[in-house]
Amino acid sequence: MEKEGKQSMRVENHPILGEAESQTVVTFTCDGKVMQGYEGEPIAMALRNAGVLVHRHTKKQDKPRGVFCAIGRCTDCVMVVDGIPNIRTCVTPLKEGMVVQTQYGHSEKKEA
Amino acid sequence: MNRYDVIVVGAGPAGLSAAIEAAKLGLKAIVFDENAKPGGQLFKQIHKFFGSKEHKAKVRGFKIGEELLQEASKNGVEVVLNAIVTGLYMDKEVTVKQDDKIVHYKGDTVIIATGASENMVPFEGWTLPGVIGAGAAQTMMNLHRTRPGEKVLMLGSGNVGLVVSYQLLQAGCEVAALVDAAPRVGGYGVHAAKVARCGVPFYLSHTIIKAEGTDCVTGVTIGEVDSSWKIIPGSEKHFDVDTICLAVGLSPMSQLAKMAGCEMEENPLKGGTVPICDEYGETSVKGIFVAGDVSGIEEASSAMIEGRIAGIAAARSLGYIDEEALKEKSKELEAALGSLRQGMFGPGSKGKEIIQTEEGYEISKSLLTKGYIAEDEIFRYPGVTKKTGLHPVIECSQNIPCNPCQDACRKGCIKIGENITSLPVVDQDSECTGCGLCVASCSGQCIFLVEDGIEEGYSAVTMPYEFLPLPRKGDMGAALDRSGTKVCEAEVLEVRVAKAFDHTNLLTIKVPADMTMKARFYVGQEV
């Protein structure tokens, strides 16, 4: 995908899995920035390929968190998606036009 | 309320196998799984499995997953996805969260096959983005074709840590180091050896001191531990990495069994709190069975057999078959399970230091501490013979339940015998045709073909090769020894790709004669 540039972490050709199948590219935003990913892939994968690692900041100590288990168990990767907080981005499929936001505590707003 | 003869929780290898067997015997079976796709962790397993034919040895995990799904659908097993089983109550009432609703089901029997969750280990900075579970790395690269990072440090030398390190290399990541606090490599030596010969350094008796970085991981510091697990001052080592992978074991997810009132035990050999069950997987609550990692951490191969046994036992418990049929049907499965549990990595050997094989060969100390067999140790094993003509060199040095190499050789050159864990013996008198099937059949990638004197002063070494780009005939590069150190120049003589090899390509290189027993990997010249 051209817009991902050199940060892309895609494995296009794999010694065991072979060539990647062609995918439908969709556009979404993360904190207002326009990004692209593959339709149906977990949001977190599209973000990783766009160079986004920090998904949220903890409520009490404002510590950054990202993907940890990648299978929907640990909930460390939750973000605000289409206005709804606590969405597990590692298991939620990416759709065209999604609005993804870094989560601070429980909302997209950084608390003072 | 919806009633089923058997409700299976978890559509991984154990759960699917259980439902298949139950359905075959006429039970109305349903499987719930919280994930969007079935198969549990099988579809992330891109390596060839161990065992023998009945365990689907030398078949890659994801292929086994596809076969299981086909078998399930053929037998009319209903698999419901995105369905989280939230409770298991009296009289086997099961509550399932589906589409933000709680739906009630009633099972005449219930098979819990919920698997396991990854353990973690805290250290300074462990919550930073970039610190991930080894399972996460597998999920990202093998399912979603996304490398978790450019440069990775792996913590944990069990089979998961070793296999995932290798898969990271296959996906094009750099593995900076493989670290384990234990003094010895925990997983199969053959898994370690294939990582070590790629040049990944092993740091045993080391652990992570801290993950560095403000917003995400930019580096890691490890240190050596003494016998009381304390860091030895001055032993600190730093690596520039963007990812830290944790492969520090698994814990059974046995909460549902506990909730159902099954008698539980705390069993470190099984990985944590597990329900007590009989040989068929039946817990203290009649009609509730367990199968797979939930009843004790093992391999997917054993989970599938346990699942099949539980499925048959559920049929017996409802009277679909009689006691005689249960015994008859489970006999073969119990035998297959028994053979998988043999050897020095079997449940009976957990935590023990093993200094020699069943046959009495001394275990390589270098393999256990550095990940590869040292040159002065290699000739002690019966698969390693000195012969000038073309012959296989089998660097298999531990008793693990695996025997595809024996079946691969049509000339009868390789013998393991009845005991599946025995080390393969190379018969020096048998003729090797160089077909390479043994090389590709070895899930541990520890078989090489060597031939001395292909021309004056040169030998040929054929090795399994599962990386891209695939070298081409005539390419010049370097041969690496078992430790991943460049030892000489090498010319690619042949690259064999065949369907029968299943993506384990055979790479033949030409090396100076004194390198025959050293050269074990190849890297092309940097462009």
Side-chain angles (χ1 to χ4, degrees):
Chain A
M1 243 183 303
E2 48 189 347
K3 287 213 170 166
E4 287 171 359
K6 67 175 186 331
Q7 279 174 320
S8 174
M9 305 298 279
R10 302 271 181 207
V11 183
E12 297 297 347
N13 199 2
H14 189 282
I16 309 301
L17 302 169
E19 297 266 356
E21 286 171 27
S22 83
Q23 306 269 350
T24 308
V25 176
V26 294
T27 302
F28 68 103
T29 64
C30 178
D31 292 337
K33 217 172 131 191
V34 179
M35 295 176 180
Q36 290 188 320
Y38 294 145
E39 184 177 47
E41 74 174 339
I43 296 169
M45 297 305 123
L47 291 173
R48 182 67 191 88
N49 284 294
V52 178
L53 276 103
V54 180
H55 288 217
R56 67 180 182 106
H57 287 257
T58 58
K59 189 174 172 67
K60 286 184 186 166
Q61 296 182 23
D62 194 33
K63 293 267 177 71
R65 296 291 170 89
V67 169
F68 181 73
C69 80
I71 53 171
R73 178 144 292 277
C74 76
T75 69
D76 236 13
C77 70
V78 299
M79 296 177 87
V80 181
V81 177
D82 291 337
I84 304 166
N86 294 329
I87 298 295
R88 296 174 300 168
T89 55
C90 70
V91 290
T92 304
L94 181 70
K95 291 184 193 134
E96 173 72 39
M98 263 184 169
V99 178
V100 180
Q101 290 167 291
T102 303
Q103 184 167 320
Y104 295 91
H106 302 301
S107 79
E108 77 287 2
K109 287 187 197 71
K110 207 165 182 167
E111 285 164 36
Chain B
M1 192 164 8
N2 306 295
R3 194 202 69 81
Y4 284 85
D5 290 330
V6 59
I7 292 177
V8 181
V9 189
L16 285 175
S17 303
I20 289 166
E21 288 306 315
K24 274 187 192 166
L25 296 171
L27 279 73
K28 194 178 161 199
I30 190 165
V31 186
F32 295 110
D33 195 291
E34 63 180 333
N35 299 291
K37 284 182 181 156
Q41 309 308 308
L42 263 182
F43 286 91
K44 301 160 195 180
Q45 311 306 324
I46 60 167
H47 58 284
K48 292 179 176 175
F49 277 30
F50 288 77
S52 72
K53 269 188 220 150
E54 74 256 32
H55 311 120
K56 299 191 187 291
K58 79 175 177 145
V59 180
R60 297 184 189 273
F62 67 102
K63 290 280 177 204
I64 296 174
E66 285 165 13
E67 288 171 19
L68 266 184
L69 286 183
Q70 276 168 15
E71 204 184 349
S73 118
K74 199 181 82 189
N75 287 290
V77 173
E78 196 180 331
V79 181
V80 185
L81 301 168
N82 295 309
I84 305 171
V85 173
T86 58
L88 179 46
Y89 300 94
M90 210 198 285
D91 297 330
K92 303 181 194 69
E93 188 179 340
V94 179
T95 52
V96 187
K97 181 173 170 280
Q98 291 171 274
D99 296 331
D100 288 328
K101 278 192 297 251
I102 296 290
V103 186
H104 290 246
Y105 293 85
K106 165 85 171 72
D108 289 345
T109 55
V110 173
I111 298 174
I112 304 172
T114 42
S117 61
E118 283 188 290
N119 296 341
M120 48 200 90
V121 55
F123 44 84
E124 190 184 333
W126 79 283
T127 58
L128 275 175
V131 179
I132 60 171
Q138 274 197 316
T139 306
M140 293 177 77
M141 60 192 177
N142 299 343
L143 275 191
H144 305 303
R145 287 177 174 266
T146 294
R147 286 178 291 131
E150 302 280 2
K151 214 171 164 182
V152 187
L153 180 127
M154 177 67 70
L155 181 69
S157 71
N159 276 339
V160 174
L162 298 170
V163 166
V164 176
S165 293
Y166 186 71
Q167 292 175 357
L168 283 162
L169 295 167
Q170 288 181 306
C173 305
E174 192 183 325
V175 179
L178 201 148
V179 178
D180 199 315
R184 295 180 298 273
V185 169
Y188 292 172
V190 286
H191 278 318
K194 66 187 194 190
V195 175
R197 64 176 175 256
C198 292
V200 176
F202 282 52
Y203 291 90
L204 276 296
S205 295
H206 277 70
T207 196
I208 295 177
I209 298 172
K210 65 173 176 181
E212 297 148 7
T214 329
D215 274 340
C216 48
V217 173
T218 54
V220 59
T221 299
I222 65 167
E224 192 175 350
V225 293
D226 61 20
S227 54
S228 59
W229 311 101
K230 296 257 177 0
I231 302 284
I232 301 170
S235 69
E236 296 84 359
K237 293 160 193 80
H238 167 88
F239 297 89
D240 284 324
V241 296
D242 58 6
T243 304
I244 296 168
C245 241
L246 307 180
V248 289
L250 299 164
S251 295
M253 289 208 286
S254 56
Q255 297 91 335
L256 275 179
K258 193 176 179 189
M259 182 177 190
C262 302
E263 205 179 312
M264 309 292 284
E265 64 164 343
E266 183 63 36
N267 188 337
L269 291 177
K270 294 185 167 183
T273 308
V274 291
I276 294 169
C277 61
D278 66 11
E279 75 261 44
Y280 301 119
E282 189 163 21
T283 65
S284 63
V285 179
K286 205 173 155 17
I288 296 184
F289 297 81
V290 285
D293 275 354
V294 66
S295 61
I297 305 300
E298 279 183 81
E299 305 284 331
S301 319
S302 26
M304 288 185 281
I305 302 174
E306 284 181 9
R308 289 189 191 269
I309 293 172
I312 293 165
R316 164 65 198 129
S317 131
L318 296 181
Y320 278 80
I321 54 169
D322 60 20
E323 193 68 23
E324 197 73 358
L326 168 67
K327 288 203 172 118
E328 177 63 33
K329 284 177 186 298
S330 61
K331 209 172 124 188
E332 216 170 286
L333 292 167
E334 296 279 5
L337 191 56
S339 73
L340 271 185
R341 287 178 174 160
Q342 284 166 18
M344 50 183 59
F345 293 90
S349 306
K350 218 165 188 176
K352 289 183 192 158
E353 183 180 3
I354 290 165
I355 53 168
Q356 61 176 32
T357 69
E358 289 160 10
E359 299 90 342
Y361 302 109
E362 200 188 329
I363 298 292
S364 159
K365 286 198 178 68
S366 171
L367 183 64
L368 296 179
T369 53
K370 296 175 187 161
Y372 57 90
I373 303 175
E375 275 163 30
D376 60 354
E377 297 169 327
I378 197 75
F379 282 105
R380 52 173 90 126
Y381 304 108
V384 182
T385 53
K386 278 181 182 154
K387 192 179 165 185
T388 46
L390 177 64
H391 67 286
V393 169
I394 308 185
E395 305 192 347
C396 184
S397 68
Q398 294 173 323
N399 300 116
I400 55 180
C402 195
N403 68 4
C405 57
Q406 171 171 257
D407 299 329
C409 185
R410 287 167 199 160
K411 295 281 176 184
C413 187
I414 303 168
K415 287 190 182 65
I416 288 178
E418 284 300 303
N419 185 2
I420 187 182
T421 58
S422 296
L423 298 191
V425 179
V426 169
D427 178 2
Q428 298 212 59
D429 300 326
S430 293
E431 180 202 2
C432 173
T433 62
C435 73
L437 282 169
C438 59
V439 179
S441 78
C442 176
S443 306
Q445 294 185 27
C446 76
I447 306 185
F448 303 84
L449 298 180
V450 303
E451 185 175 15
D452 282 334
I454 52 159
E455 60 182 78
E456 184 65 37
Y458 286 95
S459 302
V461 177
T462 300
M463 60 190 69
Y465 194 85
E466 293 190 347
F467 294 94
L468 289 177
L470 202 55
R472 275 180 297 199
K473 187 180 173 174
D475 281 1
M476 291 300 295
L480 309 189
D481 67 6
R482 295 181 188 89
S483 75
T485 308
K486 282 183 189 175
V487 286
C488 60
E489 281 197 339
E491 180 191 340
V492 176
L493 294 177
E494 194 184 15
V495 180
R496 283 186 274 171
V497 178
K499 205 169 173 221
F501 299 158
D502 186 14
H503 297 88
T504 307
N505 307 299
L506 266 49
L507 176 67
T508 305
I509 57 171
K510 183 174 106 177
V511 293
D514 59 340
M515 291 294 154
T516 317
M517 286 306 290
K518 290 186 180 174
R520 289 298 175 263
F521 195 60
Y522 169 85
V523 283
Q525 266 162 359
E526 306 256 329
V527 185

